[in-house]
Amino acid sequence: MGYRVAVVGATGNVGREMLQILSERQFPVSEVIALASERSAGSEISFGEDEVLKVRSLDKFDFKGTDIVLSSAGAKISAAFAPKAAAAGAVIIDNTSHFRMDPDVPLVVPEVNPQAIAGYTKKNIIANPNCSTIQMVVALKPLHDIAKISRVVVSTYQSVSGAGKEGMDELFNQTRGVYMNQSPERTKFTKQIAFNVIPHIDVFMQDGFTKEEWKMTVETKKILDPNINVVATCVRVPVFISHSEAVNIEFERDISVEEVRAALRSAKGITVVDHRADEGYVTPLEVAGEDNVYVSRIRKDPTVKNGIVLWVVGDNLRKGAALNAVQIAEVLAQDYLKQKAA
């Protein structure tokens, strides 16, 4: 026996990854339902290597009898359907920003705070964090366990897939257009993304930070420790898949590079590639399709007391979104819903 699982936003980048990862990890399903907008209803989408699902309309779907919902269809859509689906008995694992800071909704990265999943019963909703937050806290957790972190300064280099298929299409079309002497068309990004970087992700807030930067601050506090101070600068770069981050960490005590490297190497979900030589580090191109968070360029920060600098890279569609959601579902099924599948 298995679980009846619905994937909302199944035709999008993250939704497709969710279906792929459910199959890859052999999540125990009795039925998988692909849900999307009315205009996508009736189309077909792959589930694993051999199965094809017919996409159904989210607006017309009755969630009664559904055990788990993996959702990645936008904050407004989640706000509308998730409470109804939860009231029908489903547990929603939501990949949008809508529920993340709700005090009654756990915000979970399984390698960091799996115990928080127990709080799902308040609303039958679990929130998946921001992609850039996820890979950072995976790297921070084993270090925070051995030497308390007081402050983090992070600069991100975020791929266009974080803006969906439209972002990937815009980078492709603009790049092609440059070589064909065509004026680049902008629809998704505020400035040309091809051969450029844009220090602007999500809307600007009154204090001058963008909402993406705010998310990294408040989500890290909720997931890892409210006493950690975080300041972020989030930048969109002309890379299709995988986010990179330069992370400066200040600890409460002195910590050596050797301690950091050993803690990261022993941690679940992390791969360390840190050689002080040409090619002795990992780039976003190399981690596309990988599940782990990769850490390179580990070194002392000589400008602050107890400082360490890291280079952190991860596939934003997998660990930054779809994989993290499926991992939450795995813990949920194993530790909390096991009796339903018996």
Side-chain angles (χ1 to χ4, degrees):
M1 295 291 290
Y3 299 92
R4 190 172 189 243
V5 179
V7 176
V8 175
T11 58
N13 285 342
V14 175
R16 290 176 186 273
E17 285 288 339
M18 286 174 169
L19 290 168
Q20 180 67 25
I21 292 168
L22 283 169
S23 175
E24 286 175 3
R25 295 174 71 91
Q26 298 182 324
F27 188 83
V29 297
S30 59
E31 182 184 7
V32 178
I33 304 109
L35 300 173
S37 64
E38 183 65 34
R39 69 175 181 274
S40 296
S43 61
E44 295 184 337
I45 192 166
S46 296
F47 175 59
E49 294 184 4
D50 304 319
E51 192 171 348
V52 174
L53 305 177
K54 187 84 74 173
V55 177
R56 303 193 210 178
S57 169
L58 171 62
D59 291 339
K60 297 177 181 178
F61 186 72
D62 183 356
F63 283 93
K64 187 176 181 181
T66 302
D67 297 306
I68 298 170
V69 178
L70 305 178
S71 174
S72 184
K76 290 182 180 179
I77 294 171
S78 287
F81 95 85
K84 297 175 185 177
V91 181
I92 320 302
I93 301 172
D94 186 60
N95 198 57
T96 76
S97 61
H98 185 73
F99 297 102
R100 288 177 187 157
M101 299 315 297
D102 186 325
D104 291 331
V105 174
L107 183 66
V108 177
V109 179
E111 295 91 341
V112 180
N113 63 334
Q115 71 284 351
I117 291 174
Y120 84 92
T121 54
K122 292 179 181 178
K123 288 193 174 180
N124 262 17
I125 298 172
I126 302 168
N128 212 39
N130 187 306
C131 46
S132 49
T133 303
I134 289 174
Q135 69 183 60
M136 185 174 75
V137 297
V138 167
L140 294 181
K141 175 63 163 66
L143 304 180
H144 192 54
D145 285 345
I146 62 170
K148 291 288 186 184
I149 294 170
S150 57
R151 181 172 183 252
V152 175
V153 180
V154 56
S155 297
T156 72
Y157 307 77
Q158 294 179 228
S159 68
V160 295
S161 57
K165 182 179 181 297
E166 297 90 347
M168 299 177 77
D169 289 345
E170 188 155 314
L171 174 58
F172 177 83
N173 291 330
Q174 286 185 0
T175 303
R176 182 179 58 183
V178 167
Y179 286 109
M180 298 178 69
N181 294 318
Q182 296 174 347
S183 298
E185 292 187 14
R186 290 187 289 109
T187 56
K188 188 65 180 178
F189 300 116
T190 54
K191 298 200 177 192
Q192 177 181 318
I193 186 60
F195 304 97
N196 198 18
V197 299
I198 305 172
H200 175 192
I201 301 176
D202 212 324
V203 298
F204 275 97
M205 304 176 74
Q206 282 196 330
D207 60 3
F209 285 92
T210 64
K211 196 168 184 182
E212 185 83 356
E213 293 158 352
W214 173 82
K215 289 174 193 173
M216 291 195 74
T217 297
V218 296
E219 290 177 17
T220 300
K221 288 175 175 289
K222 183 173 179 178
I223 297 164
L224 188 55
D225 188 333
N227 294 316
I228 296 176
N229 291 313
V230 180
V231 61
T233 300
C234 294
V235 183
R236 191 74 71 189
V237 298
V239 170
F240 282 106
I241 295 173
S242 302
H243 292 350
S244 306
E245 299 171 349
V247 188
N248 289 60
I249 310 165
E250 293 181 42
F251 295 88
E252 292 183 1
R253 71 163 177 86
D254 184 49
I255 184 170
S256 70
V257 168
E258 290 72 26
E259 282 182 277
V260 170
R261 192 178 289 120
L264 292 171
R265 280 185 172 150
S266 63
K268 186 177 179 181
I270 295 175
T271 299
V272 176
V273 179
D274 182 38
H275 307 290
R276 295 175 179 181
D278 295 347
E279 300 187 39
Y281 47 84
V282 175
T283 64
L285 182 66
E286 294 162 303
V287 307
E290 297 289 327
D291 288 346
N292 275 8
V293 170
Y294 283 72
V295 181
S296 303
R297 302 291 321 279
I298 303 169
R299 59 205 188 277
K300 276 278 193 180
D301 181 352
T303 68
V304 296
K305 188 178 180 181
N306 307 333
I308 290 286
V309 186
L310 308 175
W311 174 251
V312 182
V313 188
D315 184 325
N316 59 295
L317 297 181
R318 290 183 71 89
K319 184 54 190 170
L323 174 64
N324 198 74
V326 174
Q327 288 174 315
I328 292 170
E330 289 171 342
V331 177
L332 180 72
Q334 177 64 34
D335 295 345
Y336 301 96
L337 303 181
K338 199 170 185 179
Q339 68 278 8
K340 291 183 88 173

